[in-house]
Amino acid sequence: MRSRHHDIADDLRQQITAGRILPSERLPSEAALADRYRVSTVTLRRALSVLQMEGLVEKIHGKGNFVRRPHRKIMYVGGWGTLDPWTAAEPDLRVTIRSTAVQAQEHLATLLKVPTGSPVVEFTCLSVEGESPHGLARAYMPHDLVSPGALDDASTYREAATRFAFLGPPPTAVRETVSARLPTPDEASVLRIGNASVVLSITRIATDSTGRVVEATLLAFPGDRVDAVFTTHHVVDERQGKGRQHRTNCGSSRGRARKASPAT
């Protein structure tokens, strides 16, 4: 038997999509809605939770439940390792930057190919529009590659950080691993999304001409707020024999991160 809270969620969803409840409009109080639908507040909150996980409703502590405005998407350009310059320059978007010295724990040490406990510098960049975060980037560089003073003032890297670009000199090679997954508790808190929301996750490893890893960046974008574009080049197709080159389509491939399926 279908649960009552799903019926309530369906009714509220229909009102929102039909425009009878407008974006940014505050919903009636939970007590008032419970009375309207003749259910307990527990059942009513379950219905609202469904809409919150779908991204239609946002609960703001101390203020109530509001219909969310559709989020403007930002664009990440794969291979170049940066937000689209036009997107990054939008006046309503701002990026906060914080840097700190840390020791590379096991996972980070593996990404950077350094001994566990090695000193590295972490740059945390958060892209925000109004009160809505659009993307989170955590870039890590070996301590000896960071210029003096960067720990006191990240302005040396500000221009690159605002575009989520490489902080150091252009690398010789870049490897980007892309997946759609649930957020970590920290990501859910920083990005202000539900634990059941999907994020587009990109792990970007940059190396120099000697093969040294000069930067490892972990990026996370809410799935409803990003487009990722990748351009393919000549690659070696090992399945067709050693040394044989396989030419792929040269052009842009746009992938949208959705809840139903991964985006690449």
Side-chain angles (χ1 to χ4, degrees):
M1 179 179 294
R2 185 175 173 81
S3 300
R4 176 63 173 145
H5 75 273
H6 282 118
D7 292 333
I8 297 171
D10 288 346
D11 184 61
L12 289 172
R13 186 188 302 106
Q14 197 278 331
Q15 294 183 56
I16 293 171
T17 56
R20 291 199 293 274
I21 308 177
L22 300 176
S24 298
E25 184 175 342
R26 182 181 182 275
L27 297 179
S29 68
E30 293 178 357
L33 286 173
D35 287 342
R36 176 189 298 179
Y37 290 106
R38 298 182 179 181
V39 296
S40 67
T41 53
V42 172
T43 299
L44 189 281
R45 285 170 182 162
R46 288 176 182 166
L48 292 176
S49 178
V50 171
L51 300 178
Q52 289 162 4
M53 287 191 293
E54 293 177 358
L56 289 176
V57 171
E58 179 180 19
K59 184 170 185 177
I60 301 178
H61 183 70
K63 295 183 179 180
N65 291 284
F66 294 79
V67 177
R68 290 177 60 177
R69 286 188 174 277
H71 288 291
R72 176 172 53 184
K73 288 180 178 288
I74 59 176
M75 184 180 293
Y76 178 81
V77 183
W80 293 95
T82 181
L83 297 183
D84 173 69
W86 293 103
T87 302
E90 288 285 348
D92 293 339
L93 290 175
R94 68 182 190 278
V95 176
T96 60
I97 306 166
R98 178 173 54 86
S99 63
T100 185
V102 299
Q103 290 184 332
Q105 300 306 311
E106 184 175 357
H107 177 62
L108 184 56
T110 300
L111 292 178
L112 289 169
K113 296 183 179 179
V114 296
T116 300
S118 297
V120 299
V121 179
E122 176 189 66
F123 293 88
T124 301
C125 311
L126 180 66
S127 174
V128 179
E129 178 185 17
E131 295 184 358
S132 300
H134 275 249
L136 173 66
R138 289 192 171 97
Y140 299 90
M141 298 176 63
H143 196 281
D144 64 299
L145 296 181
V146 180
S147 60
L151 297 181
D152 302 321
D153 181 4
S155 60
T156 304
Y157 301 92
R158 181 166 299 278
E159 182 181 354
T162 55
R163 295 181 287 111
F164 286 15
F166 302 109
L167 300 180
T172 301
V174 178
R175 179 182 178 87
E176 293 174 291
T177 304
V178 185
S179 65
R181 58 170 174 77
L182 297 178
T184 65
D186 181 58
E187 289 170 343
S189 175
V190 173
L191 294 172
R192 295 183 58 190
I193 56 178
N195 292 326
S197 301
V198 170
V199 296
L200 180 68
S201 172
I202 302 174
T203 299
R204 188 176 72 200
I205 305 298
T207 55
D208 64 13
S209 59
T210 68
R212 181 187 183 185
V213 177
V214 294
E215 185 177 321
T217 303
L218 308 177
L219 303 107
F221 301 95
D224 62 344
R225 305 174 203 179
V226 65
D227 283 336
V229 177
F230 294 84
T231 300
T232 57
H233 306 282
H234 287 86
V235 297
V236 175
D237 190 342
E238 296 179 353
R239 295 170 300 180
Q240 297 187 19
K242 285 187 177 182
R244 183 179 298 179
Q245 285 194 328
H246 175 68
R247 184 180 180 87
T248 63
N249 251 346
C250 290
S252 293
S253 172
R254 173 172 296 185
R256 295 179 182 268
R258 299 185 184 277
K259 292 187 177 181
S261 61
T264 56

